[in-house]
Amino acid sequence: LSQLKLSEISDWSQKQKDLFGSYYQELWDIKTAITYYSRITELTQKQVALVNAYNQAWNLIKNDKHFTADELTYMGKVYSGILQASVNDLDQIMAVIHANKTQMPDAKRMEIVNKAADHMDNNYNDLQQFNNQNKLLSLQRASDKNEVLTLKRYYGSQ
């Protein structure tokens, strides 16, 4: 009788372990998926911020009389490079989002998403730095104090 009860308890314990083991694994998978999708949301917001920052800066710079046509052409090339790099990052992300396009483990997908995210962060920081350099250059070229104040308002620095 005692051996039978021990076997039943052992079987019951194993069933509980299996049941809750799969439950915790499902929770872990859901946590990974939520992390994955929240990272995608962050990337989407970063891309929108990058494009908005570009649009705002380019609209201001192209109307700034302190830049020559050659400088504007150069700036346009730099902006195009930054935007193209961000499009490439989005293409990588889109490729891993759609499971039917590429087959890989979730860990590999997260690695690619994180690498693209880091690159997008760098692009955004480069864009901000380039915008600030252009703003400072315009301010340095201002001829008098009133023009400096006007430019600061124009670029939203004051």
Side-chain angles (χ1 to χ4, degrees):
L1 183 65
S2 164
Q3 185 62 31
L4 180 64
K5 291 291 183 189
L6 286 176
S7 294
E8 286 178 16
I9 291 171
S10 176
D11 289 345
W12 180 82
S13 294
Q14 186 60 41
K15 287 178 184 177
Q16 293 298 314
K17 183 178 177 183
D18 293 343
L19 174 70
F20 289 112
S22 64
Y23 174 73
Y24 285 120
Q25 183 59 45
E26 289 174 12
L27 285 176
W28 183 257
D29 292 344
I30 290 170
K31 178 191 175 288
T32 303
I34 289 170
T35 302
Y36 174 73
Y37 286 113
S38 68
R39 187 70 167 151
I40 300 296
T41 302
E42 291 172 17
L43 293 174
T44 304
Q45 293 168 346
K46 180 67 78 165
Q47 180 67 18
V48 168
L50 187 140
V51 170
N52 287 340
Y54 156 75
N55 283 332
Q56 181 183 12
W58 183 245
N59 286 332
L60 293 172
I61 288 170
K62 71 181 179 183
N63 294 318
D64 191 328
K65 66 181 181 176
H66 295 106
F67 298 115
T68 65
D70 289 340
E71 289 172 327
L72 289 174
T73 301
Y74 168 75
M75 290 175 190
K77 288 179 183 177
V78 171
Y79 283 126
S80 291
I82 290 171
L83 291 173
Q84 185 57 50
S86 72
V87 167
N88 292 344
D89 294 335
L90 285 177
D91 287 344
Q92 284 183 346
I93 292 165
M94 293 305 290
V96 299
I97 287 175
H98 300 294
N100 57 351
K101 282 188 176 182
T102 55
Q103 291 184 350
M104 64 182 72
D106 286 341
K108 181 67 174 168
R109 288 181 194 281
M110 283 300 296
E111 180 184 327
I112 291 171
V113 167
N114 286 331
K115 189 181 288 187
D118 292 343
H119 194 253
M120 193 177 287
D121 286 339
N122 290 337
N123 279 344
Y124 183 76
N125 292 336
D126 290 346
L127 177 74
Q128 294 292 70
Q129 186 177 14
F130 190 65
N131 289 345
N132 288 335
Q133 289 172 350
N134 293 333
K135 180 173 48 174
L136 288 173
L137 182 59
S138 180
L139 288 171
Q140 289 172 348
R141 291 179 177 176
S143 59
D144 63 29
K145 190 173 186 175
N146 285 335
E147 189 176 12
V148 169
L149 291 174
T150 302
L151 281 172
K152 282 184 177 182
R153 273 186 254 132
Y154 182 68
Y155 283 105
S157 297
Q158 194 175 24

